[in-house]
Amino acid sequence: MKSDIQFIKEELSEIKQMLHELLLRYEAVGMMKLSNHSLHQFLQDEPDIYTLDDAKIVCR
């Protein structure tokens, strides 16, 4: 019985850690979306520094 309880505690601890990491990622995505939304108008009016031709690479 004690081993079963210990196993459950360990699994629960692992689940808590996974949920914590998931929440951190969710918060990061939320902040990126908010940043993208809030900077959209500012960046829309700015000229592009690089063109698509600048980004092309030669693959061999």
Side-chain angles (χ1 to χ4, degrees):
M1 177 113 163
K2 282 187 177 184
S3 64
D4 291 339
I5 293 172
Q6 183 62 30
F7 176 76
I8 291 171
K9 284 182 178 181
E10 290 171 2
E11 292 296 311
L12 191 58
S13 177
E14 187 177 332
I15 290 171
K16 283 181 178 180
Q17 181 62 31
M18 291 168 68
L19 283 172
H20 178 70
E21 291 174 13
L22 184 62
L23 285 173
L24 289 177
R25 290 181 184 180
Y26 183 74
E27 287 175 355
V29 168
M31 286 187 280
M32 285 188 277
K33 285 182 179 180
L34 180 62
S35 176
N36 186 28
H37 179 72
S38 63
L39 292 174
H40 177 72
Q41 185 63 38
F42 171 75
L43 294 175
Q44 184 178 5
D45 296 337
E46 292 295 310
D48 291 333
I49 296 174
Y50 298 103
T51 65
L52 287 177
D53 290 331
D54 294 334
K56 291 182 181 176
I57 61 169
V58 176
C59 296
R60 297 180 187 179

